[in-house]
Amino acid sequence: MSIPLPLARAAVRRRVAALTTALVALTATAAVAAPDAPSAPSAPSAPSAPNPAVPGVVTPVPSLPTTSEQMVGEPATARPLRVPPVPQNPFLAPNGRSGIHNDGWQSDTYRQAGPLGRDPQTLSASLGGICGSVTFNRAGRIVTTCIGVTRALYLLDAETLAVIDSYALPRPAPGSGVGGNPFQNFSGGAYFYLDHRDRAVIGTVDGRILTIATDGDRLRVVRQRDLTGALADGQTVNSALPGSDGVLWFVTKTDGVVGTIDPRSGRIRTVRLGRGSDGQIENSLAVGSHGEAYIATNRRLYRFDHRAGRPVVTWSVRYRSIGSTKPGQVDDGTGTTPTVLSGGYVAITDNADPMNVVVYRTAKRPRGPRTVCEVPVFGRGASATENSLIGAGRTLIVENNHGYTGPDAVSAGRTTTPGFARVDIARDGSGCRKVWTSTTTPSPSVVAKLSLATGLVYAYTKPAGDPSDAWYWTALDVRTGREVWRIRSGAGPLFNNNYAGLALGPDGTAYLGVLAGLTALRDGPAA
């Protein structure tokens, strides 16, 4: 007996909605539960969020049944893009392997290739949380933090996604969710970096910065920096990065605290930019090539330098804002971590309507105006981003996240406002121009990446109208914005990436965290 199509779709919508509700409950409970607390029951008639992974055992992320196409488009031909390289920060792992945004400049670009879509192979692993930042050590293994039902640093086999070892991280205190939304809390491990000695450096929710080394197949804490004497209640480390001179910079969301740690003495110094949520720092920071740091609050963009280790504001600019939080952003300011570019520029998006890509000169005393350009992107009442710009030479890529407020916003066939755009800075620095805009590709929340070797922008998209909620790996041509192909990752809310950063491994495999763990895409063996 066949079931009428409208009834079948309604049943799928009910299962998806129930599973999304269960995921929200699981994640919210995980923020306050003890490590041995039992998980919430799974939703009826739907795949449940899996238990934390067992070392050596790979459990795929469960997918809902779907009739959506496995692949749309054709395999790509690599068309390399030549731009000046991002300078290597001597205190970070090699560019492309050190953090969610790839390098100290936060460029979100790779010099190596990613998948071309030839005989594509997908795989996944259930890890009990979103693996938001994916890095790679010298041995080619994955080092990643996964935040959700579990909260831990993982060492994974890059070929199989099998767990080699894990280290449990502290859980947030009760009531620490952002605006009551646990899917928008990035503190305490979502950001971390891999240093020049292959060690993970992580700010924790209990006021420490941990340095965790890989000792063979084991993860081991080798240093703990206690910040509790320098931070007030509610000030939790959001992110930390080493300057090009080795001084460790860190920021907190609440009160917009900027701090430095002297690498030799361990002395901690701080300056507060805001009060509560006014002047808060919601994203990470960028570090330049001269010991400086670039930090955006929800009001201003700052360049910081340090004098004998003490952080000082070199310059700051107030950017445009409508004064309210758009659907698709976490607060009422920029949704981007600053991106440093060659030629002496730094870029963010503002919170105007429509949103602008804004480029500034980085120099302490610029020869021209501080602001190079403000280029509006996407439509009025339908523009927002909560992800860093891709920066390559004089080129910037921005995506539209308008409408994404959490998993429920993209359930039951719904999706967000589509949009990618490319903005280029003029060779003489006299302004910028919009090269192309794509309004056909909805990318709810991914940190997209550019491969200079293939000339492809790699994203993670969700078309509208499919009640099974299929999610797709997607490649765009950086020169034209045309969608080259999309390949199904899986269906259902467990495949939602919820702000996780896409990463390209040394062998060209693409990786991305999703609500239940980690997914991957690679080309098949060459003929």
Side-chain angles (χ1 to χ4, degrees):
M1 181 180 68
S2 62
I3 301 175
L5 186 58
L7 294 179
R9 287 177 174 170
V12 170
R13 288 193 187 99
R14 286 195 297 271
R15 296 205 311 271
V16 170
L19 181 53
T20 302
T21 301
L23 280 167
V24 173
L26 279 167
T27 304
T29 301
V32 299
D36 58 351
S39 61
S42 60
S45 304
S48 60
N51 291 326
V54 177
V57 177
V58 178
T59 302
V61 174
S63 178
L64 288 177
T66 182
T67 58
S68 62
E69 294 179 275
Q70 177 62 40
M71 181 173 180
V72 178
E74 299 294 333
T77 298
R79 296 182 62 201
L81 194 68
R82 292 178 175 83
V83 300
V86 173
Q88 176 63 52
N89 183 311
F91 299 94
L92 287 173
N95 288 348
R97 302 188 185 188
S98 63
I100 188 171
H101 296 304
N102 293 29
D103 47 58
W105 281 15
Q106 311 291 52
S107 73
D108 290 306
T109 62
Y110 290 90
R111 302 201 77 81
Q112 78 260 24
L116 291 171
R118 296 173 180 166
D119 188 22
Q121 301 176 357
T122 59
L123 64 156
S124 64
S126 299
L127 296 166
I130 306 167
C131 305
S133 298
V134 176
T135 68
F136 305 90
N137 65 18
R138 290 185 183 92
R141 290 171 164 177
I142 293 171
V143 182
T144 181
T145 50
C146 302
I147 309 298
V149 177
T150 62
R151 179 176 286 259
L153 178 73
Y154 283 95
L155 181 66
L156 305 177
D157 183 291
E159 178 68 23
T160 65
L161 308 185
V163 174
I164 299 168
D165 195 21
S166 63
Y167 181 89
L169 298 171
R171 295 179 181 275
S176 63
V178 179
N181 189 342
F183 293 99
Q184 294 182 335
N185 190 342
F186 306 144
S187 62
Y191 289 112
F192 82 98
Y193 72 87
L194 204 65
D195 74 5
H196 58 304
R197 296 177 180 170
D198 262 1
R199 304 175 303 183
V201 181
I202 308 170
T204 66
V205 295
D206 60 355
R208 295 177 294 159
I209 294 180
L210 301 180
T211 301
I212 303 176
T214 302
D215 186 1
D217 290 346
R218 310 300 294 176
L219 295 171
R220 178 171 58 91
V221 175
V222 294
R223 176 180 290 175
Q224 299 186 49
R225 293 183 172 98
D226 186 352
L227 307 184
T228 55
L231 300 178
D233 288 345
Q235 296 174 352
T236 303
V237 175
N238 216 34
S239 185
L241 274 179
S244 59
D245 56 2
V247 169
L248 183 61
W249 295 85
F250 67 88
V251 297
T252 75
K253 176 170 181 158
T254 302
D255 297 330
V257 174
V258 177
T260 55
I261 303 176
D262 186 284
R264 294 181 179 85
S265 68
R267 186 174 182 182
I268 301 168
R269 298 186 178 186
T270 62
V271 61
R272 193 178 76 179
L273 300 177
R275 184 175 297 276
S277 61
D278 186 10
Q280 69 183 12
I281 300 168
E282 183 259 312
N283 283 296
S284 187
L285 65 149
V287 289
S289 302
H290 306 287
E292 82 276 26
Y294 300 92
I295 296 165
T297 71
N298 58 344
R299 300 290 179 262
R300 306 180 72 88
L301 173 68
Y302 295 80
R303 170 177 168 158
F304 271 87
D305 289 87
H306 66 84
R307 295 174 186 162
R310 180 172 59 88
V312 293
V313 175
T314 302
W315 56 257
S316 74
V317 289
R318 190 176 185 93
Y319 56 82
R320 299 180 191 273
S321 175
I322 60 173
S324 60
T325 303
K326 300 175 185 175
Q329 293 184 191
V330 172
D331 66 12
D332 58 351
T334 178
T336 59
T337 294
T339 300
V340 181
L341 299 108
S342 57
Y345 304 110
V346 62
I348 60 170
T349 59
D350 63 16
N351 192 34
D353 186 19
M355 173 177 70
N356 294 295
V357 172
V358 191
V359 179
Y360 304 97
R361 290 180 171 86
T362 60
K364 294 180 179 181
R365 298 177 183 85
R367 294 183 179 179
R370 176 69 63 195
T371 302
V372 176
C373 63
E374 297 175 313
V375 180
V377 289
F378 314 125
R380 184 175 295 277
S383 65
T385 195
E386 195 52 54
N387 284 296
S388 180
L389 299 165
I390 295 173
R394 296 179 293 104
T395 290
L396 292 159
I397 306 293
V398 59
E399 72 176 64
N400 196 359
N401 303 140
H402 190 271
Y404 186 78
T405 55
D408 189 59
V410 289
S411 67
R414 295 188 291 268
T415 194
T416 53
T417 306
F420 280 85
R422 171 177 165 173
V423 174
D424 281 9
I425 305 168
R427 290 184 183 276
D428 61 1
S430 59
C432 308
R433 69 184 181 96
K434 188 160 38 179
V435 178
W436 52 257
T437 300
S438 168
T439 57
T440 59
T441 304
S443 183
S445 71
V446 74
V447 182
K449 299 297 174 74
L450 168 64
S451 166
L452 299 174
T454 63
L456 297 176
V457 175
Y458 294 93
Y460 196 66
T461 63
K462 183 181 183 297
D466 178 3
S468 70
D469 293 328
W471 291 81
Y472 285 84
W473 299 93
T474 302
L476 306 177
D477 187 326
V478 70
R479 291 175 171 83
T480 65
R482 179 182 65 89
E483 183 179 297
V484 180
W485 50 252
R486 64 178 186 265
I487 297 164
R488 191 176 72 230
S489 174
L494 294 180
F495 282 89
N496 180 349
N497 73 287
N498 194 69
Y499 299 114
L502 196 150
L504 300 182
D507 69 347
T509 299
Y511 301 89
L512 181 65
V514 293
L515 285 180
L518 190 66
T519 58
L521 169 72
R522 58 175 60 108
D523 288 337

